[in-house]
C-alpha cells in the first residue's frame, strides 16, 4: 500500500527524469553548435588580422620567407604555406589530435582552411583552435543536469510531505475519529469543520450514516429489552400453571411425563429470555456501580456454587492461584463472567475428566478436555453455535464477550493438546 | 394467616392464591395501586407479595407507605424486572425478600414461610414438624431431642419441603432453590437426587418417619 500523494509524486518524478535526460543531448547539440559558430568566427577574425597585418608590413621576398618559416615553427594555431592557385572557397573542419606532450590526452580542434594573398603571392592559411572535447562537454552537462534532478526530486519530496501533512489534516482528523468510534457507546461523532469541499462532503455523509446507525442500534436494543420484558409475564404464568398442574392428585404417569417434558423447554425459554435481557442491560450500560473485587474469592464462590454439577459429572477441578488479582468492576458482571466460563467448561467436558483453572499474571485461564477445536469465529456470536442437544442458551459466551468488551478485557480461545482453553486478560 | 397478593396479572395472582390455599393461608388479591393502598391501610397481613410494576403507581411507594404507617407486615417483592437496583432499593425500603419472575410456586411458598417465621418468632424461631425440631437461627436439626448432622444443602432442602408440605415439588424447582439462577444453565439435575437420598437416610437413621415421598416421574413431596 502506498500513500495517495505518492502516486502522482512518482509519476511527476519519472516524467521530470525523462525530460531532463532528454535535455542532455539537446543541450550538448546547442552548446556545441554555439561553440563551433563562435570558433569559426574567431578563426575568420584571425585570418583577417593576419592578412591585414602581413599586407601592411613591407617585407621583401626573402624576409617574408624567413618570417613565414619562423611563424610556422613558433605560432601554434596557424600555418601559412605558399600555393599557386587561391582556394575557391574557405572551408571549416573539426578534427582530433594526440597531444604531443601529454600521452593520454586527445585534443579536439576547429580548423579554417583558407587562402590569402601577400605581396602578390597566394598562401594557404590553416587556423586551428582548440575546442572542448565532445565527451567532456557531455559529462559536464550530464553532471549539471543530475544536480538539478537531485534538487528537483528533493524539492518534490519536501513539498509533498509539507503539502500532504497540511491538506490531509482534515482527512486524518476524520479518520482518527472514525477509528475511535464505538457503536455500542451510542455517542455520535462531531467532525471538525473544513474548508475543503470534498472532505466536508465526506464528513457530512459519514455523519448521516453514523447517526442512522446509532438510531437503528438503539432501537434494536430497546426492542430487545422490551421484547424480553414482555415475555417474562406469560412465561411466569406458564411456569405457574405447570406447578399447579403438578399438584393434581389424579395425574397419570403419562401425564406426569408430558408435564416433565414441558418443564424442560420452558426453563430453556426462560433462560434464553433472561440472558437476552441481561445482554440488553449490559449493552445499555447498566450495572454501573463498581467495587474492588478479589478475583480468586469470586472464583471460589463460583466453584462452590457449581460444586454439585461438577460432582455430578465426576469431574476433577484443579484450581490454582499463582498471583492474587484485584479488579475494580461490577460484582454481578464478574460473577456472571466466571460462572458462564465455568458452566461452559462443565457442560462440554465429558464425565471423569479434568477442568483446570489458573490465575496468574493478570490472566485467568480455564481449560477443559475436548476432541476438536471449536469455530473461533462463531464461538462468541449470539446463537451461532447449534445448541439443540445441550442446555445451552446460545448466549453464555456472547455475554462473556460483552462483559469483557465493557471493561476492555481480552478474551481468547485456543485449542492445544486436546485442551479447550479460554483465557481472559484483565 | 393472611396473605395479600399485589399483582396486576390476575391469572398469576389466582394461581399463587390457589397454590398457597392448601397451606391454611387466606389470600387476598389487589390488582391496582389504589386497591393495594386501600387494603394495606385497612388491614393487617402476615405477608404481602408485591409486584413493583402496577397500574396506577410504583410498588416502591407502597413500601414507603407501610413504613410510614409503621406496619409490621412481611413483604416479598415479586418482580419481572430482576434488576439489582430494584432489589437493593426494595430491601432498603423495608421489603424482607425479593423474588424474580418467573418463579416456582414452591420457591415462593418456602420464602413466605421463612418471612412469616422470622417476623413472628424472631430469635426463638424453632419449627416443630412431626418428630423433627428445627432451630432456624442456630441452623440445627434434632429428632426426638437427638441432634442430626445435616449439610447446608440438606438443611435447605428440609426447610424447603416443610415450607411446601403436601405439595409436589419438581426436581427443577429443587435444583433452582439450591443453586439459584445457575440451575437454569443445566438440563441435568441429578445431584438433587443425591442430596435427597442423603437427607432421607440421615432422617430415617435418626428415627424419623418416612414423610419425604418420591413421586414417580415428577418430583418429591413431604407428606404429613
Amino acid at each position: 500500500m502506498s500513500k495517495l500523494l505518492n502516486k502522482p509524486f512518482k509519476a511527476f518524478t519519472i516524467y521530470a527524469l525523462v525530460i531532463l535526460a532528454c535535455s542532455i543531448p539537446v543541450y550538448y547539440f546547442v552548446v556545441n553548435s554555439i561553440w563551433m559558430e563562435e570558433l569559426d568566427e574567431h578563426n575568420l577574425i584571425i585570418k583577417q588580422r593576419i592578412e591585414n597585418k602581413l599586407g601592411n608590413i613591407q617585407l621583401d621576398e626573402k624576409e617574408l620567407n624567413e618570417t613565414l618559416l619562423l611563424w610556422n615553427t613558433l605560432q601554434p594555431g596557424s600555418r601559412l604555406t605558399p600555393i599557386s592557385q587561391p582556394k575557391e572557397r574557405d572551408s571549416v573542419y573539426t578534427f582530433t589530435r594526440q597531444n604531443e606532450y601529454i600521452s593520454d590526452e586527445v585534443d579536439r580542434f576547429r580548423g579554417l582552411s583558407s587562402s590569402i594573398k601577400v605581396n602578390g603571392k597566394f598562401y594557404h592559411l590553416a587556423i586551428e583552435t582548440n575546442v572542448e572535447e565532445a565527451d567532456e562537454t557531455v559529462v559536464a552537462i550530464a553532471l549539471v543536469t543530475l544536480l538539478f534532478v537531485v534538487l528537483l526530486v528533493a524539492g518534490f519530496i519536501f513539498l509533498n510531505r509539507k503539502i500532504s501533512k497540511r491538506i490531509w489534516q482534515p482527512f486524518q482528523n476524520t479518520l482518527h475519529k472514525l477509528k475511535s468510534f464505538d457503536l455500542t457507546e451510542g455517542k455520535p461523532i462531531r467532525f471538525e469543520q473544513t474548508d475543503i469541499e470534498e472532505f466536508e462532503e465526506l464528513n457530512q455523509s459519514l455523519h448521516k450514516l453514523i447517526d442512522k446507525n446509532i438510531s437503528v442500534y438503539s432501537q434494536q436494543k430497546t426492542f430487545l429489552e422490551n421484547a424480553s420484558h414482555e415475555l417474562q409475564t406469560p412465561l411466569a404464568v406458564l411456569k405457574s400453571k405447570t406447578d399447579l398442574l403438578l399438584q393434581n392428585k389424579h395425574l397419570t404417569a403419562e401425564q406426569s411425563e408430558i408435564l416433565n417434558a414441558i418443564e424442560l423447554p420452558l426453563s430453556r425459554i426462560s433462560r434464553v429470555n433472561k440472558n437476552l435481557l441481561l445482554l440488553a442491560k449490559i449493552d445499555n450500560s447498566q450495572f454501573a456501580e463498581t467495587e474492588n473485587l478479589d478475583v480468586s474469592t469470586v472464583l471460589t464462590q463460583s466453584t462452590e456454587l457449581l460444586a454439585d454439577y461438577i460432582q455430578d459429572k465426576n469431574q476433577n477441578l484443579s484450581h490454582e492461584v499463582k498471583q492474587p488479582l484485584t479488579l475494580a468492576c461490577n460484582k454481578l458482571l464478574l460473577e456472571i463472567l466466571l460462572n458462564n466460563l465455568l458452566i461452559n467448561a462443565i457442560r462440554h467436558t465429558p464425565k471423569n475428566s479434568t477442568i483446570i483453572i489458573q490465575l496468574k499474571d493478570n490472566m485467568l485461564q480455564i481449560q477443559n478436555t475436548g476432541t476438536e477445536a471449536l469455530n473461533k469465529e462463531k464461538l462468541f456470536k449470539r446463537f451461532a453455535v447449534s445448541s439443540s442437544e445441550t442446555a445451552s442458551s446460545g448466549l453464555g459466551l456472547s455475554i462473556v464477550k460483552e462483559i469483557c468488551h465493557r471493561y476492555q478485557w481480552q478474551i481468547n480461545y485456543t485449542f492445544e493438546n486436546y485442551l479447550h482453553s479460554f483465557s481472559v486478560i484483565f | 394467616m393472611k396473605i395479600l397478593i399485589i399483582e396486576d396479572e390476575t391469572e398469576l395472582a389466582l394461581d399463587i392464591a390457589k397454590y398457597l390455599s392448601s397451606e391454611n393461608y387466606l389470600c387476598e388479591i389487589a390488582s391496582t395501586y389504589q386497591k393495594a393502598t386501600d387494603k394495606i391501610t385497612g388491614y393487617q397481613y402476615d405477608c404481602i407479595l408485591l409486584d413493583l410494576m402496577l397500574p396506577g403507581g410504583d410498588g416502591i411507594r407502597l413500601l414507603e407507605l407501610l413504613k410510614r404507617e409503621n406496619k409490621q407486615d412481611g413483604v416479598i417483592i415479586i418482580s419481572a424486572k430482576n434488576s439489582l437496583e430494584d432489589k437493593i432499593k426494595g430491601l432498603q425500603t423495608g421489603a424482607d425478600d425479593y423474588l424474580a419472575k418467573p418463579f416456582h410456586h414452591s420457591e415462593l411458598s418456602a420464602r413466605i414461610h421463612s418471612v412469616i417465621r422470622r417476623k413472628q418468632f424472631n430469635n426463638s424461631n424453632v419449627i416443630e414438624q412431626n418428630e423433627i425440631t428445627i432451630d432456624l437461627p442456630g441452623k440445627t436439626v434434632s429428632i426426638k431431642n437427638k441432634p442430626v448432622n445435616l449439610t447446608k444443602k440438606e438443611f435447605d432442602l428440609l426447610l424447603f419441603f416443610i415450607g411446601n408440605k403436601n405439595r409436589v415439588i419438581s426436581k427443577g424447582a429443587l435444583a433452582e432453590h439450591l443453586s439459584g439462577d445457575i440451575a437454569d444453565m443445566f438440563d441435568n439435575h441429578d445431584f438433587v437426587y443425591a442430596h435427597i437420598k442423603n437427607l432421607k437416610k440421615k432422617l430415617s437413621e435418626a428415627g424419623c418417619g418416612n414423610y419425604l415421598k418420591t413421586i414417580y416421574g415428577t418430583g418429591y413431596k413431604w407428606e404429613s
Side-chain angles (χ1 to χ4, degrees):
Chain A
M1 293 281 259
S2 63
K3 292 204 167 189
L4 180 62
L5 266 193
N6 285 352
K7 298 241 161 169
F9 168 68
K10 220 184 214 170
F12 286 160
T13 310
I14 290 170
Y15 180 70
L17 271 177
V18 169
I19 291 296
L20 287 173
C22 289
S23 75
I24 295 174
V26 174
Y27 274 131
Y28 167 71
F29 180 76
V30 170
V31 168
N32 208 43
S33 313
I34 293 172
W35 258 117
M36 293 307 168
E37 211 159 293
E38 283 301 310
L39 286 179
D40 287 346
E41 213 177 305
H42 168 81
N43 287 350
L44 210 61
I45 291 169
I46 288 176
K47 175 199 152 185
Q48 282 163 359
R49 194 187 288 161
I50 291 171
E51 196 172 22
N52 206 4
K53 288 278 159 70
L54 281 180
N56 280 353
I57 45 170
Q58 299 295 321
L59 291 173
D60 58 25
E61 177 102 21
K62 197 179 158 226
E63 276 173 336
L64 184 66
N65 282 340
E66 277 170 4
T67 308
L68 285 182
L69 195 69
L70 198 63
W71 177 291
N72 284 342
T73 315
L74 287 182
Q75 178 69 21
S78 52
R79 181 190 306 272
L80 279 167
T81 41
I83 44 170
S84 50
Q85 289 290 317
K87 274 178 78 103
E88 275 180 32
R89 195 194 292 154
D90 290 354
S91 65
V92 290
Y93 55 93
T94 308
F95 69 99
T96 55
R97 189 168 53 203
Q98 173 69 42
N99 190 302
E100 288 170 54
Y101 311 104
I102 305 165
S103 61
D104 59 345
E105 171 109 13
V106 176
D107 295 317
R108 191 164 74 126
F109 295 90
R110 181 69 173 175
L112 171 70
S113 170
S114 179
S115 50
I116 52 172
K117 196 178 169 190
V118 182
N119 291 351
K121 277 185 156 178
F122 292 107
Y123 290 87
H124 173 243
L125 174 64
I127 301 172
E128 293 162 2
T129 311
N130 184 253
V131 199
E132 188 68 33
E133 282 80 50
D135 54 345
E136 281 174 11
T137 312
V138 170
V139 167
I141 290 175
L143 279 176
V144 171
T145 309
L146 188 72
L147 175 72
F148 277 108
V149 167
V150 169
L151 281 178
L152 205 60
V153 172
F156 276 171
I157 292 175
F158 174 72
L159 285 175
N160 197 43
R161 289 230 175 112
K162 216 174 164 192
I163 290 172
S164 85
K165 240 183 214 162
R166 197 163 43 83
I167 69 166
W168 285 97
Q169 194 57 45
F171 182 79
Q172 299 290 359
N173 289 345
T174 301
L175 195 66
H176 177 73
K177 290 206 165 156
L178 278 183
K179 274 184 186 162
S180 60
F181 175 68
D182 184 358
L183 183 61
T184 55
E185 278 176 14
K187 280 185 208 141
I189 301 185
R190 298 222 177 285
F191 293 112
E192 279 164 35
Q193 279 255 320
T194 143
D195 51 0
I196 297 170
E197 199 184 326
E198 287 90 340
F199 289 150
E200 188 59 29
E201 210 176 317
L202 176 74
N203 284 353
Q204 296 287 350
S205 311
L206 283 173
H207 208 277
K208 261 188 210 159
L209 183 73
I210 287 168
D211 277 357
K212 195 159 182 208
N213 267 316
I214 289 176
S215 142
V216 168
Y217 184 73
S218 95
Q219 271 171 25
Q220 189 199 324
K221 277 197 301 189
T222 320
F223 169 76
L224 189 62
E225 199 172 351
N226 288 346
S228 304
H229 261 308
E230 286 305 313
L231 279 174
Q232 285 296 64
T233 308
L235 274 175
V237 174
L238 257 178
K239 207 167 184 174
S240 141
K241 295 291 176 198
T242 52
D243 267 359
L244 277 186
L245 199 54
L246 209 59
Q247 309 309 321
N248 194 318
K249 287 192 175 66
H250 310 292
L251 221 53
T252 66
E254 197 189 343
Q255 286 164 337
S256 300
E257 258 172 46
I258 293 174
L259 204 50
N260 244 350
I262 291 174
E263 266 210 43
L264 276 185
L266 190 59
S267 76
R268 189 161 170 208
I269 299 175
S270 85
R271 171 195 320 143
V272 169
N273 198 43
K274 249 191 236 174
N275 280 342
L276 276 177
L277 198 54
L278 182 66
L279 264 178
K281 282 179 178 172
I282 299 173
D283 274 354
N284 285 335
S285 305
Q286 294 183 30
F287 308 108
E289 56 285 325
T290 56
E291 52 189 297
N292 286 324
L293 297 165
D294 178 43
V295 178
S296 64
T297 311
V298 182
L299 198 56
T300 309
Q301 283 167 6
S302 287
T303 50
E304 276 168 9
L305 206 58
L306 287 161
D308 276 327
Y309 295 95
I310 295 167
Q311 216 171 10
D312 221 24
K313 290 183 91 172
N314 201 19
Q315 287 161 338
N316 181 20
L317 189 79
S318 114
H319 180 175
E320 189 186 359
V321 179
K322 286 199 173 155
Q323 254 167 14
L325 177 62
T326 309
L327 294 174
C329 61
N330 183 278
K331 187 164 186 237
L332 191 66
L333 291 186
L334 183 62
E335 282 171 1
I336 291 168
L337 174 88
L338 297 178
N339 284 346
N340 282 6
L341 284 174
L342 285 172
I343 288 167
N344 200 50
I346 295 168
R347 201 192 288 137
H348 297 291
T349 310
K351 285 189 175 179
N352 310 316
S353 49
T354 306
I355 296 168
I356 306 158
I357 307 171
Q358 267 195 331
L359 185 64
K360 60 171 182 186
D361 305 332
N362 268 11
M363 184 177 84
L364 172 75
Q365 194 174 46
I366 296 178
Q367 293 175 308
N368 62 293
T369 50
T371 46
E372 57 179 289
L374 303 168
N375 186 340
K376 213 172 167 180
E377 297 290 303
K378 285 185 172 177
L379 206 51
F380 295 100
K381 294 217 169 107
R382 299 176 188 186
F383 302 119
V385 181
S386 158
S387 55
S388 55
E389 288 166 36
T390 65
S392 154
S393 69
L395 290 170
L397 288 176
S398 313
I399 291 172
V400 167
K401 196 185 174 196
E402 205 62 49
I403 294 172
C404 285
H405 177 250
R406 150 83 74 99
Y407 291 112
Q408 275 147 18
W409 298 336
Q410 224 184 322
I411 175 95
N412 282 314
Y413 165 77
T414 53
F415 182 75
E416 263 170 25
N417 301 328
Y418 293 98
L419 275 180
H420 296 293
S421 170
F422 286 88
S423 56
V424 183
I425 301 166
F426 298 106
Chain B
M1 300 245 223
K2 277 171 70 189
I3 312 269
L4 175 63
I5 305 166
I6 304 173
E7 164 70 63
D8 61 331
E9 186 68 34
T10 328
E11 200 59 36
L12 195 60
L14 286 171
D15 285 354
I16 294 171
K18 197 167 169 194
Y19 188 89
L20 293 178
S21 60
S22 60
E23 179 82 5
N24 286 334
Y25 289 130
L26 192 67
C27 294
E28 286 180 20
I29 295 171
S31 57
T32 64
Y33 182 83
Q34 195 49 49
K35 282 182 195 160
T37 318
D38 294 346
K39 296 238 180 205
I40 284 173
T41 41
Y43 308 93
Q44 174 88 36
Y45 295 93
D46 295 288
C47 189
I48 295 170
L49 308 180
L50 175 62
D51 185 1
L52 290 182
M53 286 187 287
L54 289 169
D58 185 353
I60 292 282
R61 276 168 49 210
L62 289 174
L63 276 176
E64 288 160 1
L65 175 72
L66 279 167
K67 214 175 185 178
R68 267 204 311 280
E69 303 242 320
N70 227 354
K71 293 251 183 187
Q72 295 304 310
D73 314 31
V75 178
I76 297 175
I77 293 173
I78 46 172
S79 172
K81 267 169 117 183
N82 192 17
S83 82
L84 197 67
E85 294 91 57
D86 273 8
K87 187 173 176 176
I88 292 170
K89 201 174 168 196
L91 294 179
Q92 277 172 350
T93 324
D96 297 277
D97 208 343
Y98 183 100
L99 190 57
K101 284 181 195 169
F103 48 75
H104 283 288
H105 286 312
S106 48
E107 184 65 41
L108 179 66
S109 178
R111 302 241 188 151
I112 292 171
H113 190 252
S114 155
V115 164
I116 292 177
R117 301 244 17 138
R118 247 197 340 256
K119 283 272 166 190
Q120 292 180 349
F121 300 95
N122 278 326
N123 285 328
S124 61
N125 196 348
V126 176
I127 299 172
E128 307 241 356
Q129 178 67 46
N130 306 85
E131 57 266 43
I132 307 171
T133 312
I134 305 170
D135 177 6
L136 284 178
K139 301 213 169 191
T140 55
V141 177
S142 54
I143 292 167
K144 296 168 189 164
N145 292 325
K146 267 196 299 179
V148 183
N149 200 6
L150 296 182
T151 65
K152 188 180 173 297
K153 281 182 179 158
E154 288 156 6
F155 182 82
D156 278 353
L157 278 176
L158 180 62
L159 272 186
F160 195 67
F161 281 121
I162 290 181
N164 285 284
K165 271 178 293 183
N166 296 317
R167 273 162 299 180
V168 181
I169 305 170
S170 68
K171 233 202 284 189
L174 290 169
E176 220 168 281
H177 178 68
L178 288 180
S179 43
D181 274 354
I182 285 180
D184 260 8
M185 301 294 176
F186 295 91
D187 278 344
N188 187 343
H189 297 134
D190 286 346
F191 71 90
V192 172
Y193 171 73
H195 285 307
I196 287 178
K197 205 176 81 180
N198 289 338
L199 175 64
K200 269 174 132 173
K201 196 174 152 205
K202 283 182 184 175
L203 290 178
S204 78
E205 274 172 2
C208 178
N210 183 20
Y211 306 110
L212 187 50
K213 298 280 163 58
T214 305
I215 310 296
Y216 174 75
T218 45
Y220 303 90
K221 183 156 98 171
W222 185 277
E223 286 181 344
S224 71

